Structures are given as C-alpha cells and as structure tokens.
Amino acid sequence: NPLVLTPTDRIGAYGGTWRSAVTGGADGPWLHRTIGYEPLMRFTRDWTGQVPNVAESITPNDDASEYVITLRAGHRWSDGEPLTTADVLFGYEHVVLNRDLVQGHPPTLARGEDPMELEIVDDHTFIVRFSGSNALFLSDMARQVDGDRLVAYPRHYLEQFHGDFAEDAERRAREAGFNTWQEHFNHLGNDWGVLWTNPDLPSLKAWICVDPLDTGTVARFERNPYYFKTDPDGSQLPYVDEVRYDVVPEAETMLLRARNGDFDFHSRHFNSMENRPVLAESQDRGGYRFIEYESTYSTEMVISLNLNHADDAVREVYRQKDFRVALSHAIDRQELINAVWQRQGEPHQVAPTPESRFRDEEFATQYLEYDPDLANGILDSLGYDTRDSDGWRLRPDGQPITITVDVAEDAVVTIWVQAMEQVARHWEAVGIRTLVNPMPRENFEVRLGDNRHDASVWTGDGGRGDEVTHPLWYLPHPVNAGSDWARHWANWYRTRGQGADADTEEPPEIPRRQIELYDEMLAEPDEQRREDLFREILDIAREQFWVIGTVRVSSGYGIVSNRLHNVGGPLPDASTFNTPAPAAPEQWFFGDPE
C-alpha cells in the first residue's frame, strides 16, 4: 500500500546523480536534511501541519493520551524484509528502554517519570499510551529522530548483535574491536549517524548507503529498491538514481565548487549574505538558480553563557541577570549588521519572531540599545569596578573576568567567528576580557557535552513554527543535545531527576517552575490552555533573560541546478523543520534546463 506522492510541478523522469557536499563526519545533519527524513508523520511543505508518512495513519483518543498507529501493508526494509510491528517492539523494548544503550527516555516517548506503554495489535497496528495527555505527539512524530525512533531498528538484522538475543554477541563485539556488545550494537545500529556509516544496516530511506561517510572523501547513496512511495502514475520513487556527497572541509573551497556548478542542490556552509553576490555573478556559468529560504530563527547568533559552569566563581558571575544585560548593552548590533550580515537584518533578542503567534514585542526588543556607558555602570554596580593593570574587570576573588566563546567554525553558519570577534571587541571595551575559540564541530560538541566551556554560539531555534517543540533557549530543555546555556539542568529534566550524576544538576526554583509549566502544557488536551501555559514560560524567559540575541535576518537561500526540477519555491528554514526535506527530494528529477 504505497504512499502516492503528488509531484510539486510534474511527473518526473529517472536518472542522474544529485551532487552535494559535507565538511566531514560531523556534518551528518545535512544528510538527515536531504536524504534521511522518513518519520512516521511528515511536516507539510509550508510547515502548517503534519501528514502521514511511514505510518499510514495515527489516530488519537479524545484526551490525546492514546494513539493507534497503523503501518503500511507491504512496506519493506531496503533488503526486502517486511517492516512489521515486530520491529517496533524490538526497537522500543530492547533499544529505547535499554538504559545501557539509550540514556534516559526520549522526551516524546515519556511523560513525567513514566515511559510510553506499547501494545501490539497485529503485524501492522500498534497502540501507544501515555500516563497523561500528550497533545504534541503528532508534531513530535514529524520531527527527525523522534519521528522515526519507533521504526529505526530492523529486528532481523540487529538482533544478531544484541545481547538479549544472540549468545555470541560479546564474542562478536570483541572480534570487531569493541569492549562490549552494547558498544558494538550502538556502532552498527544506534548511533546518530549510523545510516551514513554502516552500509549493511537496512533502511526505509529513499537512498541507501553504498560508500560510507567515514571511510573516504566521498559518501554515496543509491536508490532503495523497496522505497514505499510512488508518483500518481504508479512509478516508484525516487526519480534520482544516486546522491553523492564530496567531503570538502573548507567552506571557501565549497564556495568555489558551488560557483563552478559542482552541486545540484546545496544550502549549507557557504550560503551567507556575504557570499550571495559572489554566487550571483557565477549563476550563468555554473548553471544554477537560487531558492529562497524564509528564516524562522529568532536570531542568527545566540550567545549563551554557561550557567552550569564547573567553576563556582565563574558560575556566580554568569548567573547574574544584570551581568548578561550589561553584555547585551555592550554589543553594537548595527555594526554587526553592517560588517558581518551585509546590511541585512535587524537587532533582535532570542524571542519569537513577528510572524509567531507567541510574539512579545518587549521580549524581542529588550536590552538591544548599544550603550557602553550603561553597560559600564551596570558592571560597576555589580561590584566589578576593580580592574587589573591591563584594564580587565576583576571578580571578588581577584581573578579577571574572562569569557572564552567556543564556536563551531565548520557548522552551518560560517560567519560566527567573524561576528564573535566583533562582539569580543565590544565586550573588551567595557573591561570584559573575551577570547574567541573556533574549533571543528566534533570538538565543539565534546566540550559542551563535558561542560568545559564558558560560552558558545548557535542559531536561534524556536523563533517561528517550533517555539513549543524546540524551546531550548526559553527553558532548560533536553531537546537535541540540550540547552547550551544550562545543559546540566536540561539533563536533570531529561532524566526527571532520576539520573543524578556529574552531568546533572537540579535546577533552582525559577527554571524548575518553567519545567513544571512545560510538563503541565504537554499534558493539557485543550489547545488554548496549552498556549496560555507556554506564554507563562515565555514570560519567565523574558524576565530572566537567559541568553543574548544579536541579529535577525528574515531570509536566506540555497542554490539549485537549472537541470533539477520539482524543487519548488520558497521554503521555511529551520533545523527542526529539517529544510529542505519537506520539499520531498524523492520526487526531484533531472531534465533539460528551463
């Protein structure tokens, strides 16, 4: 029972190789965005709702505490084996709930301290039950990772490496160079990027791994012969034969290759405002056009101090709201707009955008005024009026206040280093010694995970469309890796206080109240009441001013080969939307330029 997909413009033709690029193994999110998006539900192209995808249907009960999920009859893994509820049962009970494999419950599969209950009805039908209402479940099931969690583990392949099923699992692990069967299992079927590194792992995606991402300079994926979608004429998708990602570590080199027409669709790393005129000059020669992105981010660069810092003296400084307010007033955002964002954008805090139903003008515009005198006055009033011989303000213990800002220099946005260097000058002008610390994204993730950082920057998720589902800048939330400004509080929320260790810390009263409100919101079946509860959370976030915003730009772009069709027009741009995946790349095709 295939999913019949209506093409964006017209019925396509088979053939061709979609050429793209990644910076390396840590750039797996670009693969998820382009060829890895097959959750149970799927976001509509305009991000106004969700539609069935791998699931043929998901039906809630009256209070949204129970959902009946039906899989498509005849759906098969890429090796031809049937996809059934046996895979769902294996994945949930033996992987998701196995604490040795997955630490804590994914937020979408638990409410409060209670994990989701799973009932198997037949080979294609199962029921999930929660301890209370879970009104966001349909939206959660359209998100990458959460949405395919229940259909990500092919039992017939993975059980041979699982200690609960295979007597020789430990021996297999040792022979493969691993200490335990759990490590071996995670490597083969339970890591974030395993679809790109294990060609043997059966998949439900449109293209399946042939040349892994971690073994050379090219990652290559071929058409899945058992893919579950067709066009209205009954032709099986995808139209494109294969997808190829060249490993190009440097953004400058990637830009040069884009100008040469080496990529058929790409919107990552080199697509800054600064580079758009450069790319426009080469459009005819490179044979490509622009696709416009509608930014959903509250700000292009969130600056978050680590409020869970391991050093008590540093943490005490960073947790002072007025210290963060002073740093915000010290930033010349108009200079950032002129020098870094090519005179595009406006100053904006980390708050819902004008298009959001949660818009709060005061939240979005507070503390934006560039006023070094005010910043200096606030810092003096906090007791940081003593300076050393170099002019740096001193903490009460006599040490200079120093902020080292970690930046993932090969992340999606390539201008963060330049922008933070400008901010560092602004902060140093008011006596705060500031260092910018660029590093590969792999190292960046490790440092934030180990809580070894003073501050970091990232994009402002939760501006529009994903305010409720990705509120990581508004409260200490465990979505993705967790809120960068308070990962230990977020870890406490993820484990519901049951996993107290070096990586968790019980939040104080105010963020704890936000967590309680969020849990109450998730359990509330009435939509208006949910919105009211979330506004309470935002009110607290406005008052506490957890993180610092910089510049909001309303648009972005990607490049598309003139030979690639069915791509369509403008798209919302957000990591939670998984841009461009909801544009259905499986129905893109190559033909003569128009």
Side-chain angles (χ1 to χ4, degrees):
N1 184 23
L3 172 60
V4 178
L5 195 64
T6 301
T8 299
D9 296 318
R10 63 185 187 273
I11 298 293
Y14 290 115
T17 297
W18 170 5
R19 301 164 300 162
S20 188
V22 291
T23 58
D27 205 8
W30 180 236
L31 281 77
H32 279 289
R33 284 179 173 230
T34 47
I35 65 171
Y37 182 65
E38 296 295 352
L40 287 170
M41 300 289 285
R42 188 182 186 99
F43 288 125
T44 57
R45 184 190 173 98
D46 60 3
W47 209 4
T48 59
Q50 311 88 37
V51 293
N53 192 55
V54 169
E56 184 176 74
S57 64
I58 301 183
T59 306
N61 65 355
D62 290 341
D63 69 351
S65 64
E66 178 179 302
Y67 294 81
V68 178
I69 302 175
T70 303
L71 302 177
R72 299 177 182 280
H75 198 163
R76 296 178 181 273
W77 296 95
S78 56
D79 62 356
E81 290 294 317
L83 166 68
T84 71
T85 52
D87 300 298
V88 176
L89 182 67
F90 170 80
Y92 185 62
E93 292 193 349
H94 298 282
V95 183
V96 173
L97 295 184
N98 187 322
R99 291 301 185 100
D100 292 331
L101 294 173
V102 178
Q103 295 301 310
H105 305 301
T108 57
L109 301 184
R111 283 294 169 259
E113 297 178 5
D114 301 321
M116 175 190 83
E117 293 182 6
L118 174 66
E119 177 188 341
I120 302 300
V121 177
D122 56 38
D123 283 350
H124 299 103
T125 309
F126 61 100
I127 301 172
V128 297
R129 296 187 180 91
F130 298 93
S131 56
S133 295
N134 187 355
L136 299 182
F137 184 70
L138 290 180
S139 178
D140 290 339
M141 291 301 98
R143 296 210 318 254
Q144 181 64 46
V145 179
D146 288 326
D148 65 8
R149 177 82 65 166
L150 295 175
V151 287
Y153 303 104
R155 178 171 184 161
H156 67 280
Y157 170 75
L158 287 174
E159 66 181 358
Q160 63 183 315
F161 308 108
H162 198 295
D164 293 351
F165 296 89
E167 294 181 358
D168 62 347
E170 288 289 357
R171 178 185 60 79
R172 280 173 173 259
R174 289 192 298 272
E175 290 177 352
F178 295 90
N179 294 320
T180 65
W181 73 260
Q182 289 91 343
E183 291 180 6
H184 191 211
F185 184 91
N186 284 336
H187 175 75
L188 292 174
N190 196 36
D191 284 342
W192 165 251
V194 70
L195 283 172
W196 328 130
T197 57
N198 181 8
D200 295 328
L201 179 66
S203 167
L204 302 177
K205 314 304 183 186
W207 295 275
I208 56 177
C209 183
V210 177
D211 296 322
L213 177 60
D214 59 347
T215 59
T217 59
V218 174
R220 193 167 59 88
F221 300 81
E222 292 182 349
R223 177 188 290 110
N224 177 357
Y226 294 97
Y227 189 58
F228 66 103
K229 299 179 188 178
T230 71
D231 67 17
D233 288 349
S235 297
Q236 186 181 15
L237 299 174
Y239 289 131
V240 173
D241 288 341
E242 68 172 21
V243 186
R244 171 191 173 110
Y245 300 87
D246 290 345
V247 178
V248 185
E250 295 81 21
E252 295 82 2
T253 304
M254 201 179 289
L255 173 62
L256 288 173
R257 294 197 55 185
R259 296 180 65 190
N260 288 334
D262 290 348
F263 305 136
D264 297 302
F265 184 102
H266 202 85
S267 59
R268 196 170 173 88
H269 302 300
F270 59 76
N271 59 326
S272 64
M273 288 298 172
E274 180 182 15
N275 287 338
R276 181 158 185 160
V278 177
L279 287 161
E281 292 176 357
S282 301
Q283 274 186 266
D284 291 340
R285 175 170 59 88
Y288 56 81
R289 62 190 185 276
F290 289 111
I291 180 171
E292 301 301 327
Y293 280 176
E294 302 162 348
S295 177
T296 64
Y297 297 120
S298 62
T299 179
E300 294 295 300
M301 186 176 76
V302 181
I303 305 172
S304 56
L305 302 181
N306 181 8
L307 306 193
N308 295 156
H309 203 289
D311 187 310
D312 291 344
V314 175
R315 185 170 63 249
E316 182 179 351
V317 174
Y318 291 174
R319 286 193 183 182
Q320 293 176 302
K321 172 190 171 182
D322 284 345
F323 180 76
R324 301 191 296 274
V325 170
L327 293 185
S328 184
H329 280 302
I331 298 173
D332 186 346
R333 291 173 176 81
Q334 191 58 51
E335 181 181 275
L336 292 179
I337 291 169
N338 295 342
V340 181
W341 275 280
Q342 301 298 298
R343 303 186 182 277
Q344 301 291 315
E346 61 179 349
H348 202 277
Q349 292 292 3
V350 185
T353 70
E355 298 83 6
S356 170
R357 68 186 187 279
F358 296 106
R359 177 67 170 180
D360 179 335
E361 195 68 22
E362 179 186 351
F363 191 2
T365 59
Q366 64 181 354
Y367 316 128
L368 288 176
E369 181 184 4
Y370 173 53
D371 193 336
D373 292 337
L374 177 58
N376 275 312
I378 295 172
L379 293 170
D380 288 345
S381 70
L382 291 173
Y384 305 132
D385 50 345
T386 303
R387 305 195 184 208
D388 65 12
S389 58
D390 293 321
W392 306 127
R393 294 178 180 273
L394 301 179
R395 301 188 313 234
D397 62 1
Q399 295 299 311
I401 300 175
T402 301
I403 303 175
T404 299
V405 184
D406 291 345
V407 183
E409 61 181 339
D410 54 354
V412 181
V413 181
T414 58
I415 57 177
W416 282 338
V417 173
Q418 180 187 356
M420 268 314 306
E421 287 173 346
Q422 300 267 21
V423 173
R425 288 194 299 100
H426 303 156
W427 287 355
E428 291 189 338
V430 297
I432 304 299
R433 183 169 181 256
T434 308
L435 306 173
V436 180
N437 185 30
M439 65 188 70
R441 183 169 179 177
E442 294 96 326
N443 298 3
F444 176 84
E445 297 291 351
V446 169
R447 277 181 60 84
L448 266 61
D450 290 347
N451 200 38
R452 297 186 305 180
H453 68 293
D454 292 341
S456 61
V457 300
W458 204 254
T459 48
D461 302 88
R464 170 176 70 89
D466 56 349
E467 305 96 322
V468 173
T469 60
H470 274 61
L472 69 171
W473 304 118
Y474 305 135
L475 76 153
H477 194 279
V479 69
N480 294 342
S483 300
D484 291 348
W485 54 278
R487 285 202 175 185
H488 282 199
W489 292 347
N491 286 340
W492 184 91
Y493 185 16
R494 173 176 57 80
T495 61
R496 301 316 200 269
Q498 302 302 306
D501 54 35
D503 295 328
T504 66
E505 176 188 340
E506 183 173 354
E509 179 182 356
I510 293 175
R512 179 71 179 268
R513 175 57 181 158
Q514 288 186 296
I515 290 171
E516 292 169 354
L517 286 168
Y518 196 80
D519 279 341
E520 185 180 349
M521 181 201 71
L522 293 175
E524 174 57 59
D526 181 74
E527 183 176 0
Q528 184 57 56
R529 178 57 182 157
R530 287 201 305 272
E531 290 195 8
D532 292 342
L533 289 167
F534 191 67
R535 285 191 173 89
E536 287 189 54
I537 293 170
L538 291 176
D539 288 344
I540 296 173
R542 180 190 65 237
E543 175 60 31
Q544 295 302 312
F545 192 58
W546 298 123
V547 293
I548 302 169
T550 52
V551 176
R552 175 178 175 266
V553 177
S554 61
S555 63
Y557 67 94
I559 61 169
V560 186
S561 167
N562 292 332
R563 297 181 56 253
L564 189 62
H565 304 288
N566 276 350
V567 177
L571 282 168
D573 184 23
S575 59
T576 51
F577 180 66
N578 224 39
T579 314
E586 59 270 21
Q587 51 91 47
W588 296 354
F589 73 96
F590 288 100
D592 294 335
E594 293 183 347

